[in-house]
Amino acid sequence: EYAAIRTDAQTARLFYAVGNYLAAEEMAASSASLCVCDRFWASTVAYSSVLCDGMEFSDDAFAWPADLPRPDLSVLLDVPLEERARRLRVRKVNVERWEKLLADPHLSSRVTQSFRRINPPLLVVDASQDADGVYETV
C-alpha cells in the first residue's frame, strides 16, 4: 500500500517535483482552455520549505520554474488545525501520515507565508466553512 511507504522529506519533494512535470506534459497535450490542479508546483515548494527540517530555502527556490506552466491564480484552502484533524478522522484517513502537520499549531501560518513567497497570485480561502461557502468564495 502506498501510504505505508516511508520516505525522507527530500525524497518526497523530488517525487512531487517529478509529478509537476508529468502534469505539465498532460496540460501541454490537452486542448482544454481551463486546467485545475491539486498540489502543483506552489504546493510542492511551500510544504517542502516548511517540512524539510534543516534545509534552508533561498528566494530562488520560490521562483516559478520557466519550464512549467504558470497558473493565473493559486488557491490555498486554509483550515484550522482542529477542523483538519476532525475531517481526517471522519474520512477515516490514516492520521499517522499527517501527525507532523497536525502536531505543529504554527505550521499552517508558515505554509501560508511560504505560498506568499511564490510568484503567482494567491487567494487564501477560509475552508472551515461548508463546501458551498468555499465554492462561492473561489
Side-chain angles (χ1 to χ4, degrees):
E1 179 179 309
Y2 171 75
I5 297 172
R6 298 260 181 216
T7 60
D8 61 40
Q10 191 168 8
T11 302
R13 181 171 186 238
L14 290 171
F15 172 80
Y16 288 112
V18 168
N20 290 309
Y21 284 92
L22 294 173
E25 284 182 2
E26 288 183 34
M27 288 180 227
S30 173
S31 62
S33 61
L34 176 67
C35 178
V36 177
C37 295
D38 179 21
R39 302 199 183 273
F40 198 51
W41 183 259
S43 176
T44 300
V45 174
Y47 278 94
S48 294
S49 70
V50 172
L51 297 177
C52 288
D53 296 329
M55 289 181 68
E56 290 295 322
F57 284 74
S58 69
D59 288 340
D60 289 343
F62 291 91
W64 198 271
D67 55 349
L68 280 179
R70 187 185 195 97
D72 295 319
L73 176 68
S74 289
V75 178
L76 175 62
L77 302 178
D78 190 31
V79 181
L81 206 55
E82 302 80 25
E83 178 63 11
R84 188 176 304 167
R86 186 193 71 74
R87 289 178 182 182
L88 288 169
R89 282 192 304 274
V90 168
R91 291 189 337 227
K92 298 183 178 164
V93 170
N94 180 359
V95 179
E96 180 181 314
R97 182 174 174 211
W98 299 93
E99 281 179 357
K100 187 170 186 173
L101 296 171
L102 296 172
D104 185 348
H106 304 291
L107 181 81
S108 224
S109 64
R110 291 190 351 248
V111 168
T112 300
Q113 289 170 3
S114 290
F115 265 101
R116 290 187 191 285
R117 290 179 69 182
I118 301 167
N119 301 351
L122 176 67
L123 173 64
V124 180
V125 177
D126 174 9
S128 62
Q129 56 190 319
D130 65 16
D132 290 335
V134 171
Y135 175 81
E136 289 300 319
T137 302
V138 174

